[in-house]
Amino acid sequence: MNLNKWLENVTSAAIVGHVNPDGDCVGSCLGLYNYLIENFKLEVDVYLEPFSEPLKFMSGSEKVQTEFAENKQYDLCFALDSGDENRIGAGKQCFKTAAKKICIDHHATNKGYGDENLICPEISSTAEVLTSLMENDKISKATAECLYTGIVHDTGVFQYSNVSPNTLRIAADLLEKKIDASSIISNTFVEKTYKQQRILGFALSNSVLFMDNKCIFSIIREADMERFGVNALDLEGIVAHLRDTSGVECAIFLYQTNAEEFKVSLRSKSIVDVGKVAAYYGGGGHARAAGCTLNGSARDMINNISRLVEAQLKEQG
Ligand code: 5GP
Ligand code: MN
């Protein structure tokens, strides 16, 4: 399977990704953007919500649009890395009005909301899915940088259980394009601003172990974000650090998005399917990484979520 069959008779294409775009989302959108403009006679636009500074090294990032002109209609729109249609950020309308809608994703909770759907829950990242749809000799260094960034971010630098032999083969093919992989990893994944480091330290030192130390949670409120001068993008990665605690199976991280609203991030090590937990609350994701947005008090959320986690732990013995 490759991208060509979708591009027949297409002269305009749009690419959209999910809200709060992460490395896989931006890398996938810009990887596909570069691949299309370099190899096909096409007008291509990318719509994404604002994303973090370090990801802006990717070619095409300066062309990304945050606002969609309602009167514009594309022959084709790709929704990438977005587990459901409501998760599409900027460009949601452009997806709805496109003559053909294609959804490419790797979230198990994705029910397939496009005219055509390629959903591969067993694959590490949307960037890996996309790379396998591309012809290797048509992948430029610029495209490879984007795709590699996507894979690095969703695998925690080839660390998580979603890494397969094929992930490494594909990453190796991208390395053949002479990209500076080490800089990509340190600049976009490892390095943090001082305020990011401080809020990470705050979240870790305020964390609470519970359920026989198998679970850990931490909550960041609006006032904390103001105090440290950070926004939602600065909080990425905190939940992964919580999970790194010895003996912990499941990490729950909440940050306040409104007076009575919290974004919930869930991570597990090897037993709990947090995708199921998040899906129960209207969110979604993967078995080891998932999320949702909830209304109410943070304490109630922790209680309710942990009941589902506990039930799964008991079931698994
Ligand atoms: P994070 O905790 O980093 O926000 O998200 C972890 C994973 O769950 C990502 O793959 C993300 O796309 C997915 N995810 C996070 N929040 C939601 C949500 O509200 N709905 C759905 N469907 N997926 C989510
Ligand atoms: Mn992804």
Side-chain angles (χ1 to χ4, degrees), residues 24 81 106-107 126 154:
D24 184 32
D81 203 36
H106 69 131
H107 292 97
T126 301
D154 261 22

PDB file of all heavy atoms in Angstrom, residues 24 81 106-107 126 154, ligand 2:
ATOM      1  N   ASP A  24       4.752  13.532  17.542  1.00  0.00           N
ATOM      2  CA  ASP A  24       4.301  12.623  16.474  1.00  0.00           C
ATOM      3  C   ASP A  24       3.319  13.345  15.555  1.00  0.00           C
ATOM      4  O   ASP A  24       3.381  13.189  14.328  1.00  0.00           O
ATOM      5  CB  ASP A  24       3.656  11.373  17.092  1.00  0.00           C
ATOM      6  CG  ASP A  24       3.246  10.349  16.039  1.00  0.00           C
ATOM      7  OD1 ASP A  24       3.936  10.252  14.997  1.00  0.00           O
ATOM      8  OD2 ASP A  24       2.254   9.633  16.262  1.00  0.00           O
ATOM      9  N   ASP A  81      -2.975  11.222  13.254  1.00  0.00           N
ATOM     10  CA  ASP A  81      -2.695  11.048  14.691  1.00  0.00           C
ATOM     11  C   ASP A  81      -3.852  11.502  15.590  1.00  0.00           C
ATOM     12  O   ASP A  81      -3.645  11.707  16.780  1.00  0.00           O
ATOM     13  CB  ASP A  81      -1.396  11.806  15.049  1.00  0.00           C
ATOM     14  CG  ASP A  81      -0.723  11.262  16.302  1.00  0.00           C
ATOM     15  OD1 ASP A  81      -0.765  10.041  16.518  1.00  0.00           O
ATOM     16  OD2 ASP A  81      -0.168  12.071  17.074  1.00  0.00           O
ATOM     17  N   HIS A 106      -2.861   5.672  14.779  1.00  0.00           N
ATOM     18  CA  HIS A 106      -2.423   4.434  15.440  1.00  0.00           C
ATOM     19  C   HIS A 106      -3.054   4.305  16.834  1.00  0.00           C
ATOM     20  O   HIS A 106      -2.493   3.621  17.695  1.00  0.00           O
ATOM     21  CB  HIS A 106      -0.886   4.386  15.514  1.00  0.00           C
ATOM     22  CG  HIS A 106      -0.306   5.400  16.441  1.00  0.00           C
ATOM     23  ND1 HIS A 106       0.633   5.089  17.397  1.00  0.00           N
ATOM     24  CD2 HIS A 106      -0.537   6.723  16.565  1.00  0.00           C
ATOM     25  CE1 HIS A 106       0.953   6.190  18.069  1.00  0.00           C
ATOM     26  NE2 HIS A 106       0.267   7.186  17.586  1.00  0.00           N
ATOM     27  N   HIS A 107      -4.189   4.972  17.056  1.00  0.00           N
ATOM     28  CA  HIS A 107      -4.872   4.838  18.345  1.00  0.00           C
ATOM     29  C   HIS A 107      -5.909   3.711  18.276  1.00  0.00           C
ATOM     30  O   HIS A 107      -6.799   3.747  17.427  1.00  0.00           O
ATOM     31  CB  HIS A 107      -5.578   6.146  18.714  1.00  0.00           C
ATOM     32  CG  HIS A 107      -4.628   7.257  19.024  1.00  0.00           C
ATOM     33  ND1 HIS A 107      -4.263   8.206  18.102  1.00  0.00           N
ATOM     34  CD2 HIS A 107      -3.950   7.538  20.156  1.00  0.00           C
ATOM     35  CE1 HIS A 107      -3.396   9.035  18.656  1.00  0.00           C
ATOM     36  NE2 HIS A 107      -3.188   8.663  19.896  1.00  0.00           N
ATOM     37  N   THR A 126       2.134   7.508  14.358  1.00  0.00           N
ATOM     38  CA  THR A 126       1.574   7.817  13.039  1.00  0.00           C
ATOM     39  C   THR A 126       2.711   8.044  12.040  1.00  0.00           C
ATOM     40  O   THR A 126       2.599   7.684  10.868  1.00  0.00           O
ATOM     41  CB  THR A 126       0.650   9.054  13.133  1.00  0.00           C
ATOM     42  OG1 THR A 126      -0.391   8.739  14.068  1.00  0.00           O
ATOM     43  CG2 THR A 126       0.029   9.398  11.801  1.00  0.00           C
ATOM     44  N   ASP A 154       6.947   9.467  20.078  1.00  0.00           N
ATOM     45  CA  ASP A 154       5.923   8.514  20.532  1.00  0.00           C
ATOM     46  C   ASP A 154       6.516   7.230  21.101  1.00  0.00           C
ATOM     47  O   ASP A 154       5.805   6.452  21.736  1.00  0.00           O
ATOM     48  CB  ASP A 154       4.940   8.180  19.390  1.00  0.00           C
ATOM     49  CG  ASP A 154       3.664   8.996  19.523  1.00  0.00           C
ATOM     50  OD1 ASP A 154       3.704  10.058  20.178  1.00  0.00           O
ATOM     51  OD2 ASP A 154       2.616   8.585  18.977  1.00  0.00           O
TER      52      ASP A 154
HETATM   53 MN    MN B   2       0.903   9.425  17.937  1.00  0.00          MN
END
